Amino acid sequence: MPKGLFEPKAPLAERLRPQTLDQFVGQTHLLGPEKILSRLLASRKLPSLILWGPPGCGKTTLAKILAQTVKAHLVTLSAVDSGIKEMRKVIEEAQKRSRLGGQTILFIDEIHRFNKAQQDFLLPYVESGVIILIGATTENPSFKVISPLLSRCKVLVLKPLSPEEIKTILKRAVEEEKRRLGRISLEVEDKVLDLLAEAAEGDARVALNFFEALVDIAPEQDQVKKITVGLLKEAALEKPLLYDRAGEEHYNLISAFHKSLRGSDPDAALYWLARMLEAGEDPLYIARRMIVAASEDVGNADPQALLLAVAAKEAFEALGSPEGELALAQAAVYIACAPKSNAVYRALEAAREEVKRHGALPVPMHLRNPETALMRALGYGRGYKYPHNFPEALVKQDYLPEKLKGRVFYKPSDRGFEKVLGERLKAWREKLSR
């Protein structure tokens, strides 16, 4: 039996974790010549940092290398299973170390999982320099980290690794697995690395886990393990789409979908719709967003858009998946192809501004309903002209408060059905001005 083949081993991703900046792959926008981290490391002064980036881009590895480079003591906590009790112990040890001239870096993985009280606890120690905080998060820190703590940290945005960068890491993985297998040879088709690098979608850990699984399941023949494209397809390894209904990607995808509808691009709208459906988004949430788009971005340029969006929601409620998803797609294409107008949206916003500016202006007396004798005696409804008593149900009469007399909020566009509405309003106003 070859030595090491069946011995317990750390996961490949852990065995390949870089120990120095020279071994680190990616994030050249932070680590390249004269880039921010390079300058900070050259000065040997490291501020508290928030490393924000997708899974598998090197956040944890980078934190460990930074601590080693500035010769600080590194303490690692996970926000999943650590609380104030554990942090208090770390702070006490950091204070002792500080008195002896040492520096402590506290690395908190998934810092977005800390609640406000836990983040508040860290504040004075970050501010006083007792610890240098490095927090790692896959979530937008603007939403997940309290403002006082965020203002005391430098936020560094890490990018997904490119396929070329992941392939570089996979080539190292091939050499590592050859070393582990000892007398058993390992042959890997280059195309396999290309496919894995693409499929990983920027996540080095996913690529390494895929590759390690392939090595484990590859049949051995004449002391040779061969990893081919055929084996890769047979294994049918798939990476779940990056998505978290409570996280930033949820908002990113729905934003891209809505903007594609607004931008009259049915192909992009269908793509983002498919992305969300495949990732497990609630289809009724998507339907509600289309109702918003139909009113906000199409409006009266094509009133049918709102009807179809509401109908699509009802159709999905009746049919469920997958049949109901076709109704969502139909509505998405219709809304994207409809003429666009935000005139109603702008009109409502303008009316709101007047309400805020002038407060609760009194309803004109002639518009008030005279429900009782007292109201009639006070002049409620006096002078009101009933439009149906006039030709075309049209009569010159003020419906706004005196302060807003003549104010125009709704200004129809010249697109779609709204052009008809605009011409109608213009004709009415001309008649009433005579």
Coordinates of all heavy atoms in Angstrom, one line a residue, residues 241-313:
L241 N -26.1 27.8 -7.4 CA -25.9 29.2 -7.7 C -25.8 30.0 -6.5 O -26.4 29.8 -5.5 CB -27.2 29.6 -8.5 CG -27.3 29.1 -9.9 CD1 -28.6 29.4 -10.5 CD2 -26.2 29.6 -10.8
L242 N -24.9 31.0 -6.6 CA -24.7 31.9 -5.5 C -26.0 32.7 -5.3 O -26.4 33.5 -6.1 CB -23.6 32.9 -5.9 CG -23.3 34.1 -4.9 CD1 -22.9 33.5 -3.6 CD2 -22.3 35.0 -5.5
Y243 N -26.6 32.5 -4.1 CA -27.8 33.2 -3.8 C -28.1 33.0 -2.3 O -27.9 32.0 -1.7 CB -29.0 32.6 -4.6 CG -30.1 33.6 -4.8 CD1 -30.0 34.7 -5.5 CD2 -31.4 33.3 -4.2 CE1 -31.0 35.6 -5.7 CE2 -32.4 34.2 -4.4 CZ -32.2 35.3 -5.1 OH -33.3 36.2 -5.3
D244 N -28.7 34.1 -1.7 CA -29.1 34.1 -0.4 C -30.3 35.1 -0.3 O -30.1 36.3 -0.5 CB -28.0 34.6 0.6 CG -28.4 34.7 2.0 OD1 -29.6 34.4 2.3 OD2 -27.5 35.0 2.8
R245 N -31.4 34.5 0.0 CA -32.7 35.4 0.0 C -32.6 36.5 0.9 O -33.2 37.5 0.7 CB -33.9 34.5 0.3 CG -34.3 33.6 -0.8 CD -35.6 33.0 -0.5 NE -35.9 31.8 -1.3 CZ -37.1 31.2 -1.2 NH1 -38.0 31.6 -0.5 NH2 -37.2 30.1 -2.0
A246 N -31.8 36.4 2.0 CA -31.7 37.5 2.9 C -30.4 38.3 2.7 O -30.2 39.3 3.4 CB -31.6 36.9 4.4
G247 N -29.6 38.0 1.7 CA -28.4 38.7 1.5 C -28.4 39.6 0.3 O -29.4 39.9 -0.3
E248 N -27.2 40.2 0.1 CA -27.1 41.2 -0.9 C -27.4 40.7 -2.3 O -27.9 41.4 -3.2 CB -25.6 41.8 -0.9 CG -25.6 43.0 -1.8 CD -24.1 43.4 -2.2 OE1 -23.2 42.6 -1.8 OE2 -24.0 44.4 -2.9
E249 N -27.0 39.4 -2.6 CA -27.2 38.9 -4.0 C -28.7 38.9 -4.4 O -29.1 39.1 -5.5 CB -26.6 37.5 -4.1 CG -26.5 37.0 -5.5 CD -25.4 37.8 -6.4 OE1 -24.8 38.7 -5.8 OE2 -25.3 37.5 -7.6
H250 N -29.5 38.7 -3.3 CA -31.0 38.8 -3.5 C -31.4 40.1 -4.1 O -32.1 40.2 -5.1 CB -31.7 38.5 -2.2 CG -33.1 39.0 -2.1 ND1 -34.1 38.3 -2.5 CD2 -33.6 40.1 -1.6 CE1 -35.3 38.9 -2.3 NE2 -35.0 40.1 -1.8
Y251 N -30.8 41.2 -3.5 CA -31.1 42.5 -4.0 C -30.5 42.8 -5.3 O -31.0 43.6 -6.1 CB -30.8 43.5 -2.9 CG -31.5 43.3 -1.6 CD1 -30.9 42.8 -0.5 CD2 -32.9 43.7 -1.5 CE1 -31.6 42.6 0.7 CE2 -33.6 43.5 -0.3 CZ -32.9 42.9 0.7 OH -33.6 42.7 1.9
N252 N -29.3 42.3 -5.5 CA -28.6 42.6 -6.8 C -29.4 42.0 -7.9 O -29.5 42.6 -9.0 CB -27.2 41.9 -6.7 CG -26.2 42.7 -5.8 OD1 -26.5 43.8 -5.4 ND2 -25.1 42.0 -5.4
L253 N -29.8 40.7 -7.8 CA -30.5 40.1 -8.9 C -31.9 40.7 -9.2 O -32.3 40.9 -10.3 CB -30.7 38.6 -8.6 CG -29.4 37.8 -8.6 CD1 -29.7 36.3 -8.4 CD2 -28.6 38.0 -9.9
I254 N -32.6 41.0 -8.1 CA -33.9 41.7 -8.4 C -33.8 43.1 -8.9 O -34.6 43.5 -9.8 CB -34.8 41.7 -7.1 CG1 -36.3 41.8 -7.4 CG2 -34.4 42.8 -6.1 CD1 -36.9 40.7 -8.2
S255 N -32.7 43.7 -8.6 CA -32.4 45.0 -9.1 C -32.1 44.9 -10.6 O -32.5 45.7 -11.4 CB -31.2 45.7 -8.4 OG -30.8 46.9 -9.0
A256 N -31.2 43.9 -11.0 CA -30.9 43.7 -12.4 C -32.1 43.4 -13.2 O -32.3 43.9 -14.3 CB -29.9 42.6 -12.5
F257 N -33.0 42.6 -12.6 CA -34.3 42.2 -13.3 C -35.2 43.4 -13.5 O -35.6 43.7 -14.7 CB -35.0 41.2 -12.4 CG -36.3 40.8 -13.0 CD1 -36.5 40.2 -14.2 CD2 -37.5 41.0 -12.2 CE1 -37.7 39.7 -14.7 CE2 -38.7 40.6 -12.7 CZ -38.8 40.0 -13.9
H258 N -35.4 44.2 -12.5 CA -36.2 45.4 -12.6 C -35.6 46.4 -13.6 O -36.4 47.0 -14.4 CB -36.4 46.1 -11.2 CG -37.5 47.1 -11.2 ND1 -38.2 47.4 -10.1 CD2 -37.9 48.0 -12.1 CE1 -39.1 48.3 -10.3 NE2 -38.9 48.7 -11.6
K259 N -34.3 46.6 -13.6 CA -33.7 47.6 -14.5 C -33.8 47.1 -15.9 O -33.8 47.9 -16.9 CB -32.3 47.8 -14.1 CG -32.2 48.7 -12.8 CD -30.7 48.9 -12.4 CE -30.7 50.0 -11.2 NZ -31.2 49.5 -10.0
S260 N -33.7 45.8 -16.1 CA -33.9 45.2 -17.5 C -35.3 45.4 -18.0 O -35.5 45.7 -19.2 CB -33.5 43.7 -17.5 OG -32.2 43.5 -17.0
L261 N -36.3 45.3 -17.1 CA -37.7 45.6 -17.5 C -37.8 47.0 -17.9 O -38.4 47.4 -18.9 CB -38.6 45.3 -16.4 CG -38.8 43.8 -15.9 CD1 -39.7 43.7 -14.7 CD2 -39.3 42.9 -17.1
R262 N -37.3 47.9 -17.0 CA -37.3 49.3 -17.3 C -36.6 49.7 -18.6 O -37.0 50.6 -19.3 CB -36.8 50.1 -16.1 CG -36.8 51.6 -16.2 CD -36.0 52.2 -15.0 NE -36.8 52.0 -13.8 CZ -36.2 51.8 -12.6 NH1 -34.8 51.8 -12.5 NH2 -36.9 51.6 -11.5
G263 N -35.5 49.0 -18.8 CA -34.7 49.4 -20.0 C -35.1 48.7 -21.3 O -34.4 48.8 -22.3
S264 N -36.3 48.1 -21.2 CA -36.9 47.5 -22.5 C -36.0 46.4 -23.1 O -35.9 46.3 -24.3 CB -37.2 48.6 -23.5 OG -38.1 49.5 -22.9
D265 N -35.4 45.6 -22.2 CA -34.6 44.5 -22.7 C -35.2 43.1 -22.3 O -34.9 42.6 -21.2 CB -33.2 44.6 -22.2 CG -32.2 43.6 -22.8 OD1 -32.7 42.5 -23.3 OD2 -31.0 43.9 -22.9
P266 N -36.1 42.5 -23.1 CA -36.7 41.3 -22.7 C -35.8 40.1 -22.5 O -36.0 39.2 -21.7 CB -37.7 41.0 -23.8 CG -37.2 41.8 -25.0 CD -36.5 43.0 -24.5
D267 N -34.7 40.1 -23.3 CA -33.7 39.0 -23.1 C -33.0 39.0 -21.8 O -32.9 38.0 -21.1 CB -32.7 39.1 -24.3 CG -33.4 39.0 -25.6 OD1 -34.0 38.0 -25.9 OD2 -33.3 40.0 -26.4
A268 N -32.6 40.2 -21.4 CA -31.9 40.4 -20.1 C -33.0 40.1 -19.0 O -32.6 39.4 -17.9 CB -31.3 41.8 -19.9
A269 N -34.2 40.6 -19.1 CA -35.2 40.3 -18.1 C -35.4 38.8 -17.9 O -35.5 38.3 -16.8 CB -36.5 41.0 -18.5
L270 N -35.5 38.1 -19.0 CA -35.7 36.6 -19.0 C -34.5 35.9 -18.3 O -34.6 35.0 -17.5 CB -35.9 36.0 -20.4 CG -37.3 36.3 -21.0 CD1 -37.3 35.9 -22.4 CD2 -38.4 35.6 -20.2
Y271 N -33.3 36.4 -18.6 CA -32.1 35.8 -18.0 C -32.1 36.0 -16.5 O -31.9 35.0 -15.7 CB -30.8 36.5 -18.6 CG -29.6 36.1 -17.8 CD1 -29.0 34.8 -18.0 CD2 -29.0 36.9 -16.8 CE1 -27.9 34.4 -17.3 CE2 -27.9 36.5 -16.1 CZ -27.3 35.3 -16.4 OH -26.2 34.9 -15.7
W272 N -32.4 37.2 -16.0 CA -32.4 37.4 -14.6 C -33.5 36.7 -13.9 O -33.4 36.2 -12.8 CB -32.4 38.9 -14.2 CG -31.2 39.7 -14.7 CD1 -31.1 40.7 -15.6 CD2 -29.8 39.4 -14.3 NE1 -29.8 41.1 -15.8 CE2 -29.0 40.3 -15.0 CE3 -29.2 38.6 -13.4 CZ2 -27.6 40.4 -14.9 CZ3 -27.8 38.6 -13.2 CH2 -27.1 39.5 -14.0
L273 N -34.7 36.6 -14.6 CA -35.8 35.8 -14.1 C -35.4 34.4 -13.9 O -35.6 33.8 -12.9 CB -37.0 36.0 -15.0 CG -38.2 35.1 -14.7 CD1 -38.8 35.4 -13.4 CD2 -39.2 35.2 -15.9
A274 N -34.7 33.8 -14.9 CA -34.3 32.4 -14.8 C -33.3 32.2 -13.7 O -33.3 31.2 -13.0 CB -33.7 32.0 -16.2
R275 N -32.3 33.2 -13.6 CA -31.3 33.1 -12.5 C -32.0 33.0 -11.1 O -31.7 32.2 -10.3 CB -30.4 34.3 -12.5 CG -29.3 34.3 -13.5 CD -28.1 33.4 -12.9 NE -27.6 34.0 -11.7 CZ -26.6 34.9 -11.6 NH1 -26.1 35.4 -12.7 NH2 -26.2 35.4 -10.5
M276 N -33.0 33.9 -10.9 CA -33.7 33.9 -9.6 C -34.5 32.6 -9.4 O -34.5 32.0 -8.3 CB -34.6 35.1 -9.5 CG -33.8 36.4 -9.3 SD -34.8 37.9 -9.0 CE -35.5 38.1 -10.6
L277 N -35.2 32.2 -10.4 CA -36.0 30.9 -10.3 C -35.1 29.7 -10.0 O -35.4 28.9 -9.2 CB -36.8 30.7 -11.6 CG -38.0 31.7 -11.8 CD1 -38.6 31.5 -13.2 CD2 -39.0 31.6 -10.7
E278 N -34.0 29.6 -10.7 CA -33.1 28.5 -10.6 C -32.5 28.5 -9.2 O -32.1 27.5 -8.6 CB -32.0 28.5 -11.6 CG -32.5 28.1 -13.0 CD -33.1 26.7 -13.0 OE1 -32.4 25.7 -12.6 OE2 -34.2 26.5 -13.5
A279 N -32.3 29.7 -8.6 CA -31.6 29.8 -7.3 C -32.6 29.7 -6.2 O -32.2 29.6 -5.0 CB -30.9 31.2 -7.2
G280 N -33.9 29.6 -6.5 CA -34.8 29.3 -5.4 C -35.5 30.5 -4.9 O -36.1 30.5 -3.8
E281 N -35.5 31.6 -5.6 CA -36.2 32.8 -5.2 C -37.7 32.5 -5.2 O -38.2 31.7 -6.0 CB -35.9 34.0 -6.1 CG -36.7 35.3 -5.8 CD -36.4 35.8 -4.4 OE1 -35.3 36.5 -4.2 OE2 -37.2 35.4 -3.5
D282 N -38.4 33.2 -4.3 CA -39.9 33.0 -4.2 C -40.5 33.6 -5.5 O -40.4 34.9 -5.7 CB -40.4 33.8 -2.9 CG -41.9 33.7 -2.8 OD1 -42.6 33.0 -3.6 OD2 -42.5 34.3 -1.9
P283 N -41.2 32.8 -6.3 CA -41.7 33.4 -7.6 C -42.8 34.5 -7.3 O -42.9 35.4 -8.1 CB -42.4 32.2 -8.2 CG -41.6 31.0 -7.6 CD -41.3 31.4 -6.2
L284 N -43.5 34.4 -6.2 CA -44.5 35.5 -5.9 C -43.8 36.8 -5.6 O -44.4 37.9 -5.8 CB -45.4 35.0 -4.8 CG -46.3 33.9 -5.1 CD1 -47.2 33.4 -3.9 CD2 -47.3 34.3 -6.3
Y285 N -42.6 36.7 -5.0 CA -41.8 38.0 -4.8 C -41.5 38.6 -6.2 O -41.6 39.8 -6.3 CB -40.6 37.7 -4.0 CG -39.6 38.9 -3.9 CD1 -39.9 39.9 -3.0 CD2 -38.5 38.9 -4.7 CE1 -39.1 41.0 -2.9 CE2 -37.6 40.0 -4.6 CZ -38.0 41.1 -3.7 OH -37.1 42.2 -3.6
I286 N -41.1 37.8 -7.1 CA -40.8 38.2 -8.4 C -42.0 38.9 -9.1 O -42.0 39.9 -9.7 CB -40.2 37.1 -9.3 CG1 -38.9 36.5 -8.7 CG2 -40.0 37.6 -10.7 CD1 -38.4 35.3 -9.4
A287 N -43.2 38.2 -8.9 CA -44.4 38.7 -9.5 C -44.8 40.0 -8.9 O -45.2 40.9 -9.6 CB -45.5 37.7 -9.2
R288 N -44.6 40.2 -7.6 CA -44.9 41.5 -7.0 C -44.0 42.6 -7.5 O -44.4 43.7 -7.7 CB -44.8 41.4 -5.4 CG -45.9 40.5 -4.8 CD -45.9 40.7 -3.3 NE -44.7 40.1 -2.7 CZ -44.7 38.8 -2.3 NH1 -45.7 38.0 -2.5 NH2 -43.6 38.4 -1.7
R289 N -42.7 42.3 -7.8 CA -41.8 43.3 -8.3 C -42.2 43.7 -9.7 O -42.1 44.8 -10.1 CB -40.4 42.7 -8.3 CG -39.8 42.5 -7.0 CD -39.7 43.7 -6.1 NE -39.1 44.8 -6.8 CZ -38.9 46.0 -6.2 NH1 -39.5 46.3 -5.1 NH2 -38.3 47.0 -6.9
M290 N -42.8 42.7 -10.5 CA -43.3 43.1 -11.8 C -44.5 44.0 -11.8 O -44.7 44.9 -12.6 CB -43.6 41.8 -12.6 CG -42.3 41.1 -13.1 SD -42.6 39.9 -14.4 CE -43.5 38.6 -13.5
I291 N -45.3 43.8 -10.7 CA -46.4 44.7 -10.6 C -45.9 46.1 -10.3 O -46.4 47.1 -10.8 CB -47.3 44.2 -9.4 CG1 -48.0 42.9 -9.8 CG2 -48.4 45.2 -9.1 CD1 -48.8 42.2 -8.7
V292 N -44.9 46.2 -9.5 CA -44.3 47.5 -9.2 C -43.7 48.1 -10.5 O -44.0 49.3 -10.8 CB -43.1 47.4 -8.2 CG1 -42.4 48.7 -8.1 CG2 -43.6 46.9 -6.8
A293 N -43.0 47.3 -11.3 CA -42.5 47.8 -12.5 C -43.6 48.3 -13.5 O -43.4 49.3 -14.2 CB -41.6 46.8 -13.2
A294 N -44.6 47.5 -13.5 CA -45.7 47.8 -14.5 C -46.3 49.2 -14.1 O -46.7 50.0 -15.0 CB -46.8 46.8 -14.4
S295 N -46.4 49.5 -12.8 CA -47.0 50.9 -12.5 C -45.9 52.0 -12.5 O -46.2 53.0 -13.1 CB -47.5 50.8 -11.0 OG -48.9 50.4 -11.0
E296 N -44.7 51.6 -12.0 CA -43.7 52.7 -11.9 C -43.1 53.0 -13.2 O -42.8 54.2 -13.5 CB -42.6 52.2 -10.9 CG -41.4 53.2 -10.7 CD -40.4 52.6 -9.8 OE1 -40.7 51.8 -9.0 OE2 -39.2 53.1 -10.0
D297 N -42.8 52.1 -14.1 CA -42.1 52.3 -15.3 C -42.8 52.3 -16.6 O -42.4 52.8 -17.6 CB -40.9 51.3 -15.4 CG -40.0 51.4 -14.2 OD1 -39.4 52.5 -14.0 OD2 -39.8 50.4 -13.5
V298 N -44.0 51.6 -16.6 CA -44.9 51.6 -17.8 C -46.1 52.5 -17.6 O -46.3 53.4 -18.4 CB -45.4 50.2 -18.1 CG1 -46.3 50.2 -19.3 CG2 -44.2 49.2 -18.3
G299 N -46.7 52.4 -16.5 CA -47.8 53.3 -16.1 C -48.9 53.3 -17.2 O -49.3 52.3 -17.8
N300 N -49.4 54.5 -17.5 CA -50.5 54.7 -18.4 C -50.0 54.7 -19.9 O -50.8 54.8 -20.8 CB -51.2 56.0 -18.1 CG -52.1 55.8 -16.9 OD1 -52.6 54.8 -16.6 ND2 -52.3 56.9 -16.2
A301 N -48.7 54.5 -20.1 CA -48.2 54.3 -21.5 C -48.8 53.0 -22.1 O -49.0 52.9 -23.2 CB -46.7 54.3 -21.6
D302 N -49.0 52.1 -21.2 CA -49.7 50.8 -21.5 C -50.4 50.2 -20.3 O -49.8 49.4 -19.6 CB -48.7 49.8 -22.1 CG -49.4 48.6 -22.7 OD1 -50.6 48.4 -22.4 OD2 -48.8 47.8 -23.4
P303 N -51.6 50.6 -20.0 CA -52.3 50.1 -18.8 C -52.4 48.6 -18.7 O -52.6 48.1 -17.6 CB -53.6 50.8 -18.9 CG -53.4 52.0 -19.7 CD -52.4 51.6 -20.7
Q304 N -52.3 48.0 -19.9 CA -52.5 46.5 -19.9 C -51.3 45.8 -19.1 O -51.4 44.7 -18.7 CB -52.5 46.0 -21.3 CG -53.7 46.4 -22.1 CD -55.0 45.6 -21.6 OE1 -54.9 44.5 -21.1 NE2 -56.1 46.3 -21.6
A305 N -50.2 46.5 -19.0 CA -49.0 45.9 -18.4 C -49.3 45.6 -16.9 O -49.0 44.5 -16.4 CB -47.8 46.9 -18.4
L306 N -50.0 46.5 -16.2 CA -50.4 46.3 -14.8 C -51.4 45.1 -14.7 O -51.2 44.2 -13.9 CB -51.0 47.5 -14.2 CG -51.4 47.4 -12.7 CD1 -50.3 47.0 -11.9 CD2 -52.0 48.7 -12.3
L307 N -52.3 45.0 -15.6 CA -53.3 43.9 -15.6 C -52.6 42.6 -15.8 O -52.9 41.6 -15.2 CB -54.4 44.2 -16.7 CG -55.2 45.4 -16.6 CD1 -56.2 45.5 -17.7 CD2 -56.0 45.4 -15.2
L308 N -51.7 42.6 -16.8 CA -51.0 41.3 -17.1 C -50.1 40.9 -15.9 O -50.0 39.7 -15.6 CB -50.1 41.5 -18.3 CG -49.5 40.1 -18.9 CD1 -50.6 39.1 -19.2 CD2 -48.7 40.4 -20.1
A309 N -49.4 41.9 -15.2 CA -48.6 41.6 -14.1 C -49.4 41.0 -12.9 O -49.0 40.0 -12.3 CB -47.8 42.8 -13.6
V310 N -50.5 41.6 -12.7 CA -51.4 41.0 -11.6 C -51.9 39.7 -12.0 O -52.0 38.7 -11.2 CB -52.6 42.0 -11.4 CG1 -53.6 41.4 -10.4 CG2 -52.1 43.3 -10.8
A311 N -52.3 39.5 -13.3 CA -52.8 38.2 -13.8 C -51.7 37.1 -13.7 O -52.0 36.0 -13.4 CB -53.2 38.3 -15.2
A312 N -50.4 37.5 -13.9 CA -49.3 36.5 -13.8 C -49.2 36.1 -12.4 O -48.9 34.9 -12.1 CB -48.0 37.2 -14.3
K313 N -49.3 37.0 -11.4 CA -49.2 36.6 -10.0 C -50.4 35.6 -9.7 O -50.1 34.6 -9.0 CB -49.3 37.8 -9.1 CG -49.3 37.5 -7.6 CD -49.4 38.8 -6.9 CE -49.5 38.6 -5.3 NZ -50.8 38.0 -5.0

